[in-house]
Amino acid sequence: MNIRGRRFHTNIGAILMSMKRYAEAVPELELAAKLDPNNSQLPVALGVSELNSGQGEKALADFKKGLQIDSSPKVLNYVAYHLAVANQYLDVAMGYAGKAVSQQEQKAASLSLESLRLEDLGDEQKLWYFWDTLGWVNFRMKNYEQAGRYLKAAWQLSQSPRVADHLGQLYEAQGRKEAAGRYYAYALAAPHTTSPLYNGLAERGTRISDDNDNGMPETRRRLVALLKSSFRADTAVSRARNELARLRAVRLPKVTWKSATGELF
């Protein structure tokens, strides 16, 4: 394998994807995938680029190639989420997202404190992330009741800005403007993080993130349009920041007058 050539084309493709120059990323990722045919990340990243440059059928074929190499829940979820974001092949997205959730829920149900490992602590985050994807696929398919079930569960577990934005869009589509505004404000007030689950390409410092860590300008535009005022939007975000701080605080009764230690998960 030509490692230097593969890394060069991989990194160029990743940079172009991060700039949303998907059509230009396609030939770079095609070359990288030929040089490293056993790397599942490359056909999946190629599929994302094709999906966003009007080559949907090729994208599906490359997603399948990637999933033949690695069909773990994180990869299934990654593909499903990008299909949902593109609002294409939603039946395929539903299948992948449902499979990811089912597998992750089974794994989470089998955990016990007696045999808990450090790496198991990440399963909770994976679960809400997968719930969010399945909720978003349902939203795209206008299955609003099902979407709400998964998105609300994901929010309760994560308080992620992306999930809050999805809930805001769901409530706005249902005509629940007050709830929509509240969750848009939560999305803008919550800390922004990058998902560690599966970033498509992550090599030599190049990362492609699932999460929206650019300040969420579209969410702000939706909130301003909903409230018909930038000032009202700023006020709502400030109020949401205080509400989130209260939601994250847990008050405990005095357990003992003596010194004590404990482990929190």
Side-chain angles (χ1 to χ4, degrees):
M1 185 200 315
N2 185 340
I3 295 177
R4 292 184 63 185
R6 186 259 298 175
R7 286 179 174 172
F8 174 80
H9 293 298
T10 297
N11 290 338
I12 293 297
I15 291 168
L16 290 167
M17 287 183 72
S18 70
M19 298 170 67
K20 301 189 184 302
R21 292 163 59 178
Y22 295 109
E24 295 172 67
V26 168
E28 299 294 340
L29 295 172
E30 284 178 334
L31 286 170
K34 287 178 182 178
L35 292 169
D36 191 2
N38 295 318
N39 185 336
S40 67
Q41 295 178 343
L42 294 170
V44 169
L46 176 57
V48 172
S49 296
E50 291 166 337
L51 187 68
N52 287 281
S53 56
Q55 303 177 66
E57 293 300 321
K58 290 182 66 177
L60 287 184
D62 282 313
F63 287 148
K64 288 179 181 178
K65 287 180 185 177
L67 288 166
Q68 285 172 353
I69 302 169
D70 182 357
S71 60
S72 62
K74 64 182 181 181
V75 186
L76 288 164
N77 177 79
Y78 184 84
V79 173
Y81 185 71
H82 279 281
L83 289 169
V85 169
N87 206 15
Q88 298 181 50
Y89 306 104
L90 295 177
D91 54 336
V92 177
M94 181 67 79
Y96 289 159
K99 191 174 182 180
V101 165
S102 177
Q103 291 180 10
Q104 195 61 35
E105 287 180 340
Q106 289 176 16
K107 183 177 180 183
S110 68
L111 295 177
S112 67
L113 286 175
E114 290 76 15
S115 60
L116 194 67
R117 301 169 301 170
L118 184 61
E119 55 265 32
D120 293 332
L121 299 179
D123 286 336
E124 179 183 348
Q125 183 175 18
K126 292 177 184 177
L127 191 54
W128 73 253
Y129 210 74
F130 298 167
W131 281 343
D132 174 63
T133 296
L134 186 53
W136 196 236
V137 174
N138 274 288
F139 172 81
R140 290 297 205 188
M141 299 180 78
K142 301 188 186 304
N143 300 329
Y144 292 151
E145 184 176 350
Q146 281 289 91
R149 286 179 55 203
Y150 286 108
L151 292 175
K152 283 187 283 189
W155 168 252
Q156 290 169 358
L157 201 57
S158 70
Q159 293 185 5
S160 158
R162 188 180 79 175
V163 178
D165 176 69
H166 288 169
L167 275 167
Q169 292 188 62
L170 170 64
Y171 291 140
E172 187 169 14
Q174 293 176 312
R176 300 168 61 184
K177 293 185 178 181
E178 183 177 346
R182 182 167 66 254
Y183 279 92
Y184 286 149
Y186 283 157
L188 294 167
H192 292 256
T193 58
T194 300
S195 165
L197 298 180
Y198 185 78
N199 291 307
L201 298 172
E203 185 174 6
R204 299 181 69 182
T206 302
R207 293 170 63 87
I208 295 177
S209 170
D210 267 343
D211 219 338
N212 187 345
D213 55 359
N214 63 354
M216 305 185 79
E218 292 299 323
T219 304
R220 177 168 175 79
R221 279 193 280 272
R222 283 191 281 270
L223 181 60
V224 171
L226 194 68
L227 300 180
K228 297 180 172 55
S229 165
S230 292
F231 175 77
R232 291 194 190 105
D234 291 338
T235 302
V237 172
S238 179
R239 184 168 56 248
R241 195 171 288 116
N242 293 331
E243 290 176 5
L244 286 175
R246 287 195 295 272
L247 286 172
R248 290 175 178 146
V250 178
R251 294 186 179 275
L252 298 176
K254 186 173 288 296
V255 178
T256 177
W257 292 99
K258 299 178 181 181
S259 298
T261 62
E263 294 183 1
L264 301 177
F265 293 96

